[in-house]
Amino acid sequence: MAPDQLSLPLTLLLFGGGSLVIALVGSRLTRIADRLADHTGLGEAVFGAVLLGAVTSLPGSVASITTALAGRADLAVGNAVGGIAAQTAFLVVADVVYRRANLEHAAASVTNMINGALLCALLSLPVLAATGPEISLWGVHPASLIILLLYALGLRLASQTQQAPGWAPVRTALTLEDEPSEAPASSADVGWCLWGAFLLAAATVAVAGWLVGVSGIALVRHTGLSETLVGSLFTAVATSLPELVTTVAAVRQGALTLAVGGIIGGNTFDALFLVAADVAYREGSIYHAISAQPLFIISLTILLTAILLMGLIRRERRGVANIGFESAAVLVFYLAGMATLVAW
């Protein structure tokens, strides 16, 4: 399917259809993930950060690789990092849905805070690569390898902290702990059925992500908008719909740690999109091919993550409109950033 040959109606149909599939299947992923977290004994924070975060990120990953293979550096990076920014803003929606208290107060987790700090570190590497010397090995910048290594070390640190934390957040009357809703099942058939459904849903959203990526390339041609704007606002939000659906659904089910862990863990996994895009982009290192706009989005995303991290540490019980200072600040900066891109 060649993006240059797609008509505008077909482009909109593919984009809308792929987005709808991502949203519908994403809602089922949360229910399966919550059961698997209990069944495997991994806990909501770890399962949300690793498996749920990775699978709900599949559409964005496929879209970034598709656009990078087509030589669209700004679109690929804009989609990857714009998705992280959008998903961070989705936590504001989840905070509004959860009315008992500020979501970041109720979903206290050291693992989530470590993943937030890890994300800031991962996103700083593309900025260093893009503004540093133009070096690459087989068209791939060394920063991509460092991102992979740092991600692996971060997951190991998060796992060790989950098992033996050096300190723990104070438990209050509004804190909702991660307690399994069902005992780990002894039947292997139950586990295989859950994993089968989980993998089928993952494959479905991956195909939908490819359709969104292809239609995103065509949207740039039809609308004349910048690749970064299309990637950060259109394809990024569309491929991030599983995170929105699963986060709101998890909050409604009372799986608060899974909700926050799914977003932050998914964002951390999304940083690996940049590695995949760098490998897929065959005209050299993708970090040296991007313009100032993707660097703006990366910087904005680091800011949003840092604000969220401060909220997780401060744990304000209630704030403006019952959503906390961090949610209000994330929303303001995200909207201001997107408005800046539109006016750029």
Side-chain angles (χ1 to χ4, degrees), residues 115-190:
N115 284 327
L118 174 63
L119 178 58
C120 288
L122 293 175
L123 290 177
S124 68
L125 289 169
V127 178
L128 291 173
T131 56
E134 294 190 15
I135 56 176
S136 62
L137 184 62
W138 295 301
V140 178
H141 198 283
S144 293
L145 177 59
I146 299 175
I147 289 174
L148 287 175
L149 293 175
L150 186 58
Y151 178 77
L153 289 174
L155 286 185
R156 184 170 182 270
L157 178 61
S159 178
Q160 290 175 338
T161 306
Q162 173 82 5
Q163 297 169 4
W167 58 273
V170 175
R171 301 296 173 184
T172 69
L174 297 175
T175 304
L176 193 60
E177 298 189 35
D178 173 17
E179 296 180 354
S181 57
E182 59 182 55
S186 57
S187 172
D189 292 339
V190 174

Side-chain angles (χ1 to χ4, degrees), residues 10-24 208-209 211-212 215:
L10 183 56
T11 297
L12 295 176
L13 178 62
L14 291 177
F15 185 84
S19 302
L20 181 61
V21 170
I22 289 171
L24 293 177
L211 291 176
V212 170
S215 57

Side-chain angles (χ1 to χ4, degrees), residues 133-334:
E134 294 190 15
I135 56 176
S136 62
L137 184 62
W138 295 301
V140 178
H141 198 283
S144 293
L145 177 59
I146 299 175
I147 289 174
L148 287 175
L149 293 175
L150 186 58
Y151 178 77
L153 289 174
L155 286 185
R156 184 170 182 270
L157 178 61
S159 178
Q160 290 175 338
T161 306
Q162 173 82 5
Q163 297 169 4
W167 58 273
V170 175
R171 301 296 173 184
T172 69
L174 297 175
T175 304
L176 193 60
E177 298 189 35
D178 173 17
E179 296 180 354
S181 57
E182 59 182 55
S186 57
S187 172
D189 292 339
V190 174
W192 281 114
C193 287
L194 287 175
W195 281 113
F198 191 76
L199 293 176
L200 179 61
T204 303
V205 295
V207 173
W210 173 74
L211 291 176
V212 170
V214 171
S215 57
I217 297 174
L219 274 177
V220 172
R221 177 171 59 88
H222 285 298
T223 62
L225 298 173
S226 72
E227 291 184 8
T228 304
L229 179 59
V230 172
S232 302
L233 192 56
F234 292 101
T235 62
V237 172
T239 56
S240 298
L241 285 175
E243 278 82 359
L244 175 60
V245 175
T246 56
T247 300
V248 173
V251 167
R252 287 178 173 172
Q253 293 170 20
L256 304 186
T257 307
L258 179 65
V260 177
I263 287 289
I264 299 178
N267 286 350
T268 307
F269 184 84
D270 284 3
L272 301 184
F273 293 3
L274 294 169
V275 178
D278 193 19
V279 174
Y281 188 77
R282 292 292 79 209
E283 299 176 25
S285 171
I286 198 170
Y287 306 123
H288 299 140
I290 58 177
S291 64
Q293 287 186 338
L295 291 177
F296 173 82
I297 289 296
I298 294 174
S299 301
L300 172 66
T301 306
I302 294 175
L303 173 63
L304 298 182
T305 306
I307 293 172
L308 175 61
L309 191 55
M310 287 189 287
L312 289 170
I313 295 173
R314 174 65 181 86
R315 296 184 65 206
E316 185 179 40
R317 296 194 181 199
R318 289 184 175 86
V320 179
N322 202 40
I323 62 174
F325 79 91
E326 70 284 347
S327 291
V330 163
L331 182 61
V332 169
F333 278 111
Y334 177 76

